[in-house]
Amino acid sequence: MDVRRYPHGVVSSPATENARDLERELNWFAAILEARLQHYFDPEQLDDPLTVLPAPDLSASTSPYADFLRANPLPLADRLILLLALVPTLRPQLLDVLYSKNEASQRGFSEFGGVQGNAHGGFVPTGETALFLLAGADLAGRLAMMQRFEPDQPLALLNLVQLAPVSHGESPYSGVLTLAREALHRFTSGVERQLAFNLEFPARRVDTDLDWPDLVLPATTREQLEEIKHWIQHGDTLLNQWGMASRLRPGFTSLFHGPPGTGKTLTACLIGKHCGCEVYKIDLSLIVSKYIGETEKNLARVFDLAEHRRWILFFDEADALFGKRTKVDDAHDRYANQEVSFLLQRIEDFHGVVILASNLKANIDDAFIRRFHSVVPFPMPKPPERLRLWQEAFPVQVTLDRDVDLVKLAEKYELSGGTIMNVVRHALLMSLSRAEQRVSRDDLEEGVRRELLKEGRAL
């Protein structure tokens, strides 16, 4: 368990520290709610609670919750909405008072919002509940607080709270107040939740133990990669401090193209590692058949989560969506084209880096290529590059037989880096199966033969 150690032997976990600060926050929330109800039913007796009940001062706290508030100073209203979304999990009884019956109508107060959950026995707050808490009967205040749920406001930008969709014709603020699972995990356990690959989150984090010196690429390719690194490091300065935000799109989109095994995924990982960004790989070939409909919102969720986390989104086999367009024969084709346009627009609006990978540049529609900031080739390695790949592929525990000629292998066989590693893997396993620590020429030749057969080539 993650713990923090302090002087005099005091040990505390992030969850314990969060509980301490959230206790203060919930007490403040309870006071605001009680004062709001009193002010609503007798507005002449009390001032508006938001003006007389200050939020707890957590500036000296070391909890992850306090750390988050320092890094993301939320407006008072957003802080209360966040707490309202947390209450059903942390202290659901605080909202029981909102079950009060209106004597005039003999039913609940419409202005309190809320719904009864299927499994949750308590009051489940909605957008209406938040608006009542923040503004009461003040119409001008209500209109102002409605803006807190807009997509360009902190609650949405930080992926904290959103309103669940509602049926056609209903007020959007009657949607249930939904707390992002990542936020719930962070504010309860005290640690950031690693997102798991599933249908709701069709992306998988990828990384590498290698570093830039291990990457074998032509000098021209390396030079083009520098532009992506420069954007990550200096893009914010260019857009905001140098005033180019009105003239340039906010992110950077690059196409990596080249045969399998030439280092496209590894390069994306190394860019992220060098620039301190997490890299999430989205394999469109696995989900394109399901893309129409459900996957659209799931991919949108990936973009929403990545927007302010400095993620690099890596779309593998991008020609599954961005391939050359064909004639539209039916409504299905037309809708598919609309979805591609949506995704392309979402990529262009994304503030981070998007890298699309394809085995063949010719597979990508020219109209899409013109909208990319860079197009980076990953060619098959030349003999000198292949020699270096062979030389660096073997572990220090093994030796090569005297008849193993790596120079000859590099010159004779046009193989990608990924294919070379497959050959080495085969040879090393054969060595281990014989309880040896040497690599034979026959094992390497057999490994090469197997790989060429897989690619439909002959020795």
mmCIF file of all heavy atoms in Angstrom, residues 390 393-406 409 420 423-432 434-447:
data_model
loop_
_atom_site.group_PDB
_atom_site.id
_atom_site.type_symbol
_atom_site.label_atom_id
_atom_site.label_comp_id
_atom_site.label_asym_id
_atom_site.label_seq_id
_atom_site.Cartn_x
_atom_site.Cartn_y
_atom_site.Cartn_z
ATOM 1 N N TRP A 390 21.389 -6.337 -35.892
ATOM 2 C CA TRP A 390 21.880 -7.671 -35.543
ATOM 3 C C TRP A 390 22.859 -7.608 -34.381
ATOM 4 O O TRP A 390 22.784 -8.408 -33.432
ATOM 5 C CB TRP A 390 22.576 -8.307 -36.754
ATOM 6 C CG TRP A 390 21.668 -8.902 -37.791
ATOM 7 C CD1 TRP A 390 21.489 -8.462 -39.067
ATOM 8 C CD2 TRP A 390 20.836 -10.061 -37.652
ATOM 9 N NE1 TRP A 390 20.593 -9.263 -39.742
ATOM 10 C CE2 TRP A 390 20.171 -10.266 -38.896
ATOM 11 C CE3 TRP A 390 20.589 -10.940 -36.623
ATOM 12 C CZ2 TRP A 390 19.290 -11.304 -39.114
ATOM 13 C CZ3 TRP A 390 19.703 -12.002 -36.827
ATOM 14 C CH2 TRP A 390 19.064 -12.174 -38.058
ATOM 15 N N ALA A 393 21.186 -7.061 -30.942
ATOM 16 C CA ALA A 393 19.990 -7.858 -30.652
ATOM 17 C C ALA A 393 20.214 -8.933 -29.598
ATOM 18 O O ALA A 393 19.255 -9.391 -28.967
ATOM 19 C CB ALA A 393 19.481 -8.515 -31.942
ATOM 20 N N PHE A 394 21.464 -9.355 -29.363
ATOM 21 C CA PHE A 394 21.707 -10.531 -28.528
ATOM 22 C C PHE A 394 22.030 -10.132 -27.086
ATOM 23 O O PHE A 394 22.719 -9.138 -26.843
ATOM 24 C CB PHE A 394 22.870 -11.350 -29.104
ATOM 25 C CG PHE A 394 22.601 -11.869 -30.489
ATOM 26 C CD1 PHE A 394 23.036 -11.161 -31.602
ATOM 27 C CD2 PHE A 394 21.898 -13.044 -30.669
ATOM 28 C CE1 PHE A 394 22.793 -11.627 -32.883
ATOM 29 C CE2 PHE A 394 21.646 -13.519 -31.951
ATOM 30 C CZ PHE A 394 22.081 -12.816 -33.051
ATOM 31 N N PRO A 395 21.579 -10.933 -26.112
ATOM 32 C CA PRO A 395 21.904 -10.644 -24.704
ATOM 33 C C PRO A 395 23.374 -10.969 -24.416
ATOM 34 O O PRO A 395 24.013 -11.753 -25.123
ATOM 35 C CB PRO A 395 20.968 -11.594 -23.935
ATOM 36 C CG PRO A 395 20.713 -12.735 -24.872
ATOM 37 C CD PRO A 395 20.705 -12.121 -26.246
ATOM 38 N N VAL A 396 23.872 -10.372 -23.345
ATOM 39 C CA VAL A 396 25.290 -10.555 -23.008
ATOM 40 C C VAL A 396 25.576 -11.977 -22.543
ATOM 41 O O VAL A 396 26.735 -12.407 -22.528
ATOM 42 C CB VAL A 396 25.710 -9.550 -21.911
ATOM 43 C CG1 VAL A 396 25.599 -8.130 -22.428
ATOM 44 C CG2 VAL A 396 24.856 -9.727 -20.648
ATOM 45 N N GLN A 397 24.548 -12.736 -22.191
ATOM 46 C CA GLN A 397 24.761 -14.084 -21.667
ATOM 47 C C GLN A 397 25.167 -15.092 -22.741
ATOM 48 O O GLN A 397 25.614 -16.193 -22.408
ATOM 49 C CB GLN A 397 23.489 -14.596 -20.961
ATOM 50 C CG GLN A 397 23.156 -13.886 -19.668
ATOM 51 C CD GLN A 397 22.324 -12.637 -19.899
ATOM 52 O OE1 GLN A 397 22.192 -12.179 -21.035
ATOM 53 N NE2 GLN A 397 21.777 -12.091 -18.824
ATOM 54 N N VAL A 398 24.994 -14.762 -24.006
ATOM 55 C CA VAL A 398 25.265 -15.737 -25.059
ATOM 56 C C VAL A 398 26.450 -15.304 -25.920
ATOM 57 O O VAL A 398 26.803 -14.123 -25.962
ATOM 58 C CB VAL A 398 24.026 -15.942 -25.964
ATOM 59 C CG1 VAL A 398 22.822 -16.377 -25.158
ATOM 60 C CG2 VAL A 398 23.723 -14.683 -26.767
ATOM 61 N N THR A 399 27.036 -16.282 -26.565
ATOM 62 C CA THR A 399 28.090 -16.022 -27.540
ATOM 63 C C THR A 399 27.647 -16.565 -28.894
ATOM 64 O O THR A 399 26.818 -17.477 -28.971
ATOM 65 C CB THR A 399 29.414 -16.708 -27.126
ATOM 66 O OG1 THR A 399 29.178 -18.122 -26.990
ATOM 67 C CG2 THR A 399 29.922 -16.146 -25.817
ATOM 68 N N LEU A 400 28.196 -16.016 -29.945
ATOM 69 C CA LEU A 400 27.877 -16.458 -31.298
ATOM 70 C C LEU A 400 28.949 -17.443 -31.776
ATOM 71 O O LEU A 400 30.146 -17.229 -31.551
ATOM 72 C CB LEU A 400 27.818 -15.261 -32.251
ATOM 73 C CG LEU A 400 26.884 -14.106 -31.864
ATOM 74 C CD1 LEU A 400 26.905 -13.033 -32.948
ATOM 75 C CD2 LEU A 400 25.470 -14.601 -31.637
ATOM 76 N N ASP A 401 28.488 -18.503 -32.422
ATOM 77 C CA ASP A 401 29.444 -19.443 -33.002
ATOM 78 C C ASP A 401 30.347 -18.718 -34.000
ATOM 79 O O ASP A 401 29.977 -17.699 -34.598
ATOM 80 C CB ASP A 401 28.699 -20.581 -33.707
ATOM 81 C CG ASP A 401 28.179 -21.617 -32.716
ATOM 82 O OD1 ASP A 401 28.521 -21.499 -31.523
ATOM 83 O OD2 ASP A 401 27.433 -22.517 -33.140
ATOM 84 N N ARG A 402 31.547 -19.274 -34.207
ATOM 85 C CA ARG A 402 32.529 -18.619 -35.066
ATOM 86 C C ARG A 402 32.037 -18.465 -36.503
ATOM 87 O O ARG A 402 32.469 -17.542 -37.212
ATOM 88 C CB ARG A 402 33.834 -19.408 -35.052
ATOM 89 C CG ARG A 402 34.558 -19.338 -33.714
ATOM 90 C CD ARG A 402 35.883 -20.075 -33.795
ATOM 91 N NE ARG A 402 36.613 -19.994 -32.536
ATOM 92 C CZ ARG A 402 37.823 -20.554 -32.338
ATOM 93 N NH1 ARG A 402 38.408 -21.212 -33.337
ATOM 94 N NH2 ARG A 402 38.417 -20.453 -31.176
ATOM 95 N N ASP A 403 31.177 -19.379 -36.938
ATOM 96 C CA ASP A 403 30.717 -19.310 -38.326
ATOM 97 C C ASP A 403 29.523 -18.381 -38.523
ATOM 98 O O ASP A 403 28.972 -18.297 -39.623
ATOM 99 C CB ASP A 403 30.390 -20.713 -38.854
ATOM 100 C CG ASP A 403 29.313 -21.398 -38.027
ATOM 101 O OD1 ASP A 403 28.954 -20.860 -36.954
ATOM 102 O OD2 ASP A 403 28.843 -22.468 -38.454
ATOM 103 N N VAL A 404 29.085 -17.698 -37.439
ATOM 104 C CA VAL A 404 27.999 -16.719 -37.564
ATOM 105 C C VAL A 404 28.585 -15.423 -38.125
ATOM 106 O O VAL A 404 29.454 -14.792 -37.502
ATOM 107 C CB VAL A 404 27.302 -16.455 -36.208
ATOM 108 C CG1 VAL A 404 26.308 -15.309 -36.350
ATOM 109 C CG2 VAL A 404 26.603 -17.712 -35.714
ATOM 110 N N ASP A 405 28.141 -15.036 -39.288
ATOM 111 C CA ASP A 405 28.640 -13.826 -39.959
ATOM 112 C C ASP A 405 27.501 -12.802 -40.026
ATOM 113 O O ASP A 405 26.666 -12.839 -40.925
ATOM 114 C CB ASP A 405 29.140 -14.176 -41.358
ATOM 115 C CG ASP A 405 29.871 -13.007 -42.019
ATOM 116 O OD1 ASP A 405 29.697 -11.863 -41.553
ATOM 117 O OD2 ASP A 405 30.600 -13.250 -43.002
ATOM 118 N N LEU A 406 27.471 -11.886 -39.056
ATOM 119 C CA LEU A 406 26.392 -10.896 -38.999
ATOM 120 C C LEU A 406 26.456 -9.934 -40.182
ATOM 121 O O LEU A 406 25.421 -9.464 -40.662
ATOM 122 C CB LEU A 406 26.457 -10.113 -37.678
ATOM 123 C CG LEU A 406 26.228 -10.924 -36.405
ATOM 124 C CD1 LEU A 406 26.248 -10.002 -35.187
ATOM 125 C CD2 LEU A 406 24.905 -11.682 -36.462
ATOM 126 N N LEU A 409 24.723 -11.704 -42.965
ATOM 127 C CA LEU A 409 23.277 -11.729 -42.731
ATOM 128 C C LEU A 409 22.651 -10.377 -43.072
ATOM 129 O O LEU A 409 21.580 -10.305 -43.687
ATOM 130 C CB LEU A 409 22.981 -12.088 -41.272
ATOM 131 C CG LEU A 409 23.118 -13.551 -40.855
ATOM 132 C CD1 LEU A 409 22.949 -13.679 -39.342
ATOM 133 C CD2 LEU A 409 22.069 -14.408 -41.567
ATOM 134 N N ILE A 420 14.002 -9.090 -37.539
ATOM 135 C CA ILE A 420 15.294 -9.517 -36.996
ATOM 136 C C ILE A 420 15.136 -9.999 -35.555
ATOM 137 O O ILE A 420 15.698 -11.034 -35.164
ATOM 138 C CB ILE A 420 16.325 -8.374 -37.099
ATOM 139 C CG1 ILE A 420 16.723 -8.167 -38.560
ATOM 140 C CG2 ILE A 420 17.554 -8.657 -36.241
ATOM 141 C CD1 ILE A 420 17.618 -6.970 -38.806
ATOM 142 N N VAL A 423 13.746 -13.447 -35.485
ATOM 143 C CA VAL A 423 14.777 -14.442 -35.782
ATOM 144 C C VAL A 423 15.639 -14.702 -34.545
ATOM 145 O O VAL A 423 15.934 -15.854 -34.193
ATOM 146 C CB VAL A 423 15.654 -13.972 -36.966
ATOM 147 C CG1 VAL A 423 16.830 -14.930 -37.176
ATOM 148 C CG2 VAL A 423 14.820 -13.851 -38.231
ATOM 149 N N VAL A 424 16.056 -13.633 -33.886
ATOM 150 C CA VAL A 424 16.890 -13.768 -32.685
ATOM 151 C C VAL A 424 16.130 -14.522 -31.598
ATOM 152 O O VAL A 424 16.701 -15.377 -30.903
ATOM 153 C CB VAL A 424 17.340 -12.377 -32.200
ATOM 154 C CG1 VAL A 424 18.021 -12.475 -30.839
ATOM 155 C CG2 VAL A 424 18.268 -11.734 -33.215
ATOM 156 N N ARG A 425 14.862 -14.213 -31.461
ATOM 157 C CA ARG A 425 14.047 -14.922 -30.456
ATOM 158 C C ARG A 425 14.058 -16.425 -30.719
ATOM 159 O O ARG A 425 14.229 -17.227 -29.794
ATOM 160 C CB ARG A 425 12.623 -14.373 -30.485
ATOM 161 C CG ARG A 425 11.654 -15.038 -29.526
ATOM 162 C CD ARG A 425 10.284 -14.368 -29.642
ATOM 163 N NE ARG A 425 9.316 -14.951 -28.725
ATOM 164 C CZ ARG A 425 8.568 -16.007 -29.008
ATOM 165 N NH1 ARG A 425 8.693 -16.614 -30.183
ATOM 166 N NH2 ARG A 425 7.711 -16.476 -28.120
ATOM 167 N N HIS A 426 13.870 -16.827 -31.973
ATOM 168 C CA HIS A 426 13.873 -18.245 -32.330
ATOM 169 C C HIS A 426 15.220 -18.882 -31.986
ATOM 170 O O HIS A 426 15.274 -19.968 -31.366
ATOM 171 C CB HIS A 426 13.584 -18.411 -33.821
ATOM 172 C CG HIS A 426 13.844 -19.789 -34.340
ATOM 173 N ND1 HIS A 426 12.981 -20.848 -34.148
ATOM 174 C CD2 HIS A 426 14.911 -20.297 -35.047
ATOM 175 C CE1 HIS A 426 13.479 -21.937 -34.699
ATOM 176 N NE2 HIS A 426 14.647 -21.635 -35.254
ATOM 177 N N ALA A 427 16.304 -18.216 -32.381
ATOM 178 C CA ALA A 427 17.635 -18.779 -32.144
ATOM 179 C C ALA A 427 17.935 -18.917 -30.652
ATOM 180 O O ALA A 427 18.519 -19.920 -30.204
ATOM 181 C CB ALA A 427 18.692 -17.910 -32.827
ATOM 182 N N LEU A 428 17.548 -17.926 -29.857
ATOM 183 C CA LEU A 428 17.802 -17.973 -28.412
ATOM 184 C C LEU A 428 16.998 -19.087 -27.751
ATOM 185 O O LEU A 428 17.503 -19.778 -26.845
ATOM 186 C CB LEU A 428 17.476 -16.623 -27.785
ATOM 187 C CG LEU A 428 18.372 -15.449 -28.201
ATOM 188 C CD1 LEU A 428 17.870 -14.150 -27.568
ATOM 189 C CD2 LEU A 428 19.828 -15.697 -27.806
ATOM 190 N N LEU A 429 15.759 -19.266 -28.171
ATOM 191 C CA LEU A 429 14.951 -20.350 -27.601
ATOM 192 C C LEU A 429 15.539 -21.711 -27.951
ATOM 193 O O LEU A 429 15.522 -22.643 -27.120
ATOM 194 C CB LEU A 429 13.508 -20.246 -28.103
ATOM 195 C CG LEU A 429 12.675 -19.110 -27.503
ATOM 196 C CD1 LEU A 429 11.308 -19.030 -28.175
ATOM 197 C CD2 LEU A 429 12.498 -19.312 -25.989
ATOM 198 N N MET A 430 16.047 -21.868 -29.170
ATOM 199 C CA MET A 430 16.681 -23.126 -29.540
ATOM 200 C C MET A 430 17.923 -23.369 -28.679
ATOM 201 O O MET A 430 18.184 -24.506 -28.253
ATOM 202 C CB MET A 430 17.062 -23.098 -31.019
ATOM 203 C CG MET A 430 15.869 -23.043 -31.970
ATOM 204 S SD MET A 430 14.705 -24.409 -31.714
ATOM 205 C CE MET A 430 15.748 -25.800 -32.196
ATOM 206 N N SER A 431 18.681 -22.325 -28.380
ATOM 207 C CA SER A 431 19.857 -22.464 -27.518
ATOM 208 C C SER A 431 19.456 -22.907 -26.119
ATOM 209 O O SER A 431 20.073 -23.807 -25.534
ATOM 210 C CB SER A 431 20.625 -21.137 -27.455
ATOM 211 O OG SER A 431 21.117 -20.770 -28.727
ATOM 212 N N LEU A 432 18.436 -22.278 -25.588
ATOM 213 C CA LEU A 432 17.972 -22.637 -24.249
ATOM 214 C C LEU A 432 17.453 -24.067 -24.209
ATOM 215 O O LEU A 432 17.637 -24.785 -23.214
ATOM 216 C CB LEU A 432 16.884 -21.663 -23.798
ATOM 217 C CG LEU A 432 17.365 -20.258 -23.437
ATOM 218 C CD1 LEU A 432 16.176 -19.312 -23.260
ATOM 219 C CD2 LEU A 432 18.186 -20.301 -22.145
ATOM 220 N N ARG A 434 18.574 -26.515 -25.732
ATOM 221 C CA ARG A 434 19.720 -27.415 -25.689
ATOM 222 C C ARG A 434 20.580 -27.176 -24.456
ATOM 223 O O ARG A 434 21.665 -27.751 -24.329
ATOM 224 C CB ARG A 434 20.583 -27.219 -26.943
ATOM 225 C CG ARG A 434 19.881 -27.580 -28.254
ATOM 226 C CD ARG A 434 20.894 -27.602 -29.414
ATOM 227 N NE ARG A 434 21.489 -26.288 -29.617
ATOM 228 C CZ ARG A 434 21.054 -25.397 -30.502
ATOM 229 N NH1 ARG A 434 19.973 -25.661 -31.237
ATOM 230 N NH2 ARG A 434 21.658 -24.244 -30.643
ATOM 231 N N ALA A 435 20.095 -26.327 -23.555
ATOM 232 C CA ALA A 435 20.839 -25.976 -22.336
ATOM 233 C C ALA A 435 22.208 -25.398 -22.687
ATOM 234 O O ALA A 435 23.213 -25.678 -22.029
ATOM 235 C CB ALA A 435 20.973 -27.191 -21.415
ATOM 236 N N GLU A 436 22.244 -24.574 -23.737
ATOM 237 C CA GLU A 436 23.484 -23.953 -24.169
ATOM 238 C C GLU A 436 23.373 -22.429 -24.074
ATOM 239 O O GLU A 436 22.276 -21.884 -23.938
ATOM 240 C CB GLU A 436 23.805 -24.349 -25.625
ATOM 241 C CG GLU A 436 24.056 -25.829 -25.818
ATOM 242 C CD GLU A 436 24.273 -26.182 -27.282
ATOM 243 O OE1 GLU A 436 24.027 -25.318 -28.152
ATOM 244 O OE2 GLU A 436 24.681 -27.323 -27.548
ATOM 245 N N GLN A 437 24.533 -21.778 -24.146
ATOM 246 C CA GLN A 437 24.577 -20.322 -24.140
ATOM 247 C C GLN A 437 25.307 -19.813 -25.393
ATOM 248 O O GLN A 437 26.061 -18.845 -25.339
ATOM 249 C CB GLN A 437 25.257 -19.803 -22.872
ATOM 250 C CG GLN A 437 24.424 -20.012 -21.615
ATOM 251 C CD GLN A 437 25.099 -19.428 -20.395
ATOM 252 O OE1 GLN A 437 26.219 -19.795 -20.042
ATOM 253 N NE2 GLN A 437 24.434 -18.490 -19.747
ATOM 254 N N ARG A 438 25.051 -20.486 -26.483
ATOM 255 C CA ARG A 438 25.653 -20.079 -27.738
ATOM 256 C C ARG A 438 24.582 -20.081 -28.821
ATOM 257 O O ARG A 438 23.604 -20.828 -28.752
ATOM 258 C CB ARG A 438 26.804 -21.004 -28.119
ATOM 259 C CG ARG A 438 26.365 -22.432 -28.399
ATOM 260 C CD ARG A 438 27.538 -23.341 -28.759
ATOM 261 N NE ARG A 438 27.064 -24.678 -29.121
ATOM 262 C CZ ARG A 438 26.641 -25.005 -30.332
ATOM 263 N NH1 ARG A 438 26.632 -24.088 -31.299
ATOM 264 N NH2 ARG A 438 26.225 -26.236 -30.598
ATOM 265 N N VAL A 439 24.802 -19.238 -29.818
ATOM 266 C CA VAL A 439 23.871 -19.123 -30.932
ATOM 267 C C VAL A 439 24.551 -19.669 -32.179
ATOM 268 O O VAL A 439 25.663 -19.239 -32.527
ATOM 269 C CB VAL A 439 23.441 -17.657 -31.146
ATOM 270 C CG1 VAL A 439 22.587 -17.524 -32.397
ATOM 271 C CG2 VAL A 439 22.677 -17.147 -29.932
ATOM 272 N N SER A 440 23.872 -20.592 -32.840
ATOM 273 C CA SER A 440 24.463 -21.226 -34.008
ATOM 274 C C SER A 440 23.979 -20.567 -35.303
ATOM 275 O O SER A 440 22.909 -19.957 -35.351
ATOM 276 C CB SER A 440 24.129 -22.716 -34.047
ATOM 277 O OG SER A 440 22.760 -22.898 -34.382
ATOM 278 N N ARG A 441 24.782 -20.726 -36.351
ATOM 279 C CA ARG A 441 24.394 -20.204 -37.656
ATOM 280 C C ARG A 441 23.141 -20.903 -38.173
ATOM 281 O O ARG A 441 22.267 -20.273 -38.773
ATOM 282 C CB ARG A 441 25.546 -20.383 -38.646
ATOM 283 C CG ARG A 441 25.268 -19.735 -40.006
ATOM 284 C CD ARG A 441 26.364 -20.035 -40.984
ATOM 285 N NE ARG A 441 26.338 -21.450 -41.372
ATOM 286 C CZ ARG A 441 27.161 -21.991 -42.262
ATOM 287 N NH1 ARG A 441 28.086 -21.247 -42.842
ATOM 288 N NH2 ARG A 441 27.081 -23.280 -42.564
ATOM 289 N N ASP A 442 23.044 -22.217 -37.944
ATOM 290 C CA ASP A 442 21.888 -22.972 -38.436
ATOM 291 C C ASP A 442 20.593 -22.446 -37.829
ATOM 292 O O ASP A 442 19.567 -22.329 -38.513
ATOM 293 C CB ASP A 442 22.051 -24.457 -38.111
ATOM 294 C CG ASP A 442 23.145 -25.116 -38.946
ATOM 295 O OD1 ASP A 442 23.524 -24.524 -39.978
ATOM 296 O OD2 ASP A 442 23.610 -26.208 -38.558
ATOM 297 N N ASP A 443 20.627 -22.123 -36.524
ATOM 298 C CA ASP A 443 19.411 -21.607 -35.875
ATOM 299 C C ASP A 443 19.026 -20.250 -36.447
ATOM 300 O O ASP A 443 17.838 -19.955 -36.639
ATOM 301 C CB ASP A 443 19.621 -21.492 -34.358
ATOM 302 C CG ASP A 443 19.684 -22.854 -33.684
ATOM 303 O OD1 ASP A 443 19.163 -23.823 -34.269
ATOM 304 O OD2 ASP A 443 20.251 -22.938 -32.573
ATOM 305 N N LEU A 444 20.005 -19.406 -36.718
ATOM 306 C CA LEU A 444 19.704 -18.103 -37.294
ATOM 307 C C LEU A 444 19.162 -18.252 -38.712
ATOM 308 O O LEU A 444 18.182 -17.588 -39.092
ATOM 309 C CB LEU A 444 20.959 -17.229 -37.305
ATOM 310 C CG LEU A 444 21.438 -16.724 -35.929
ATOM 311 C CD1 LEU A 444 22.780 -16.027 -36.062
ATOM 312 C CD2 LEU A 444 20.407 -15.789 -35.310
ATOM 313 N N GLU A 445 19.773 -19.142 -39.490
ATOM 314 C CA GLU A 445 19.292 -19.359 -40.855
ATOM 315 C C GLU A 445 17.870 -19.925 -40.848
ATOM 316 O O GLU A 445 17.041 -19.538 -41.679
ATOM 317 C CB GLU A 445 20.234 -20.327 -41.584
ATOM 318 C CG GLU A 445 21.610 -19.768 -41.866
ATOM 319 C CD GLU A 445 21.609 -18.791 -43.039
ATOM 320 O OE1 GLU A 445 20.542 -18.565 -43.647
ATOM 321 O OE2 GLU A 445 22.691 -18.235 -43.353
ATOM 322 N N GLU A 446 17.599 -20.832 -39.922
ATOM 323 C CA GLU A 446 16.245 -21.375 -39.828
ATOM 324 C C GLU A 446 15.251 -20.293 -39.421
ATOM 325 O O GLU A 446 14.132 -20.233 -39.932
ATOM 326 C CB GLU A 446 16.214 -22.512 -38.817
ATOM 327 C CG GLU A 446 14.823 -23.094 -38.529
ATOM 328 C CD GLU A 446 14.152 -23.701 -39.744
ATOM 329 O OE1 GLU A 446 14.846 -23.987 -40.751
ATOM 330 O OE2 GLU A 446 12.919 -23.899 -39.705
ATOM 331 N N GLY A 447 15.648 -19.430 -38.504
ATOM 332 C CA GLY A 447 14.777 -18.326 -38.107
ATOM 333 C C GLY A 447 14.475 -17.390 -39.261
ATOM 334 O O GLY A 447 13.337 -16.948 -39.439
#
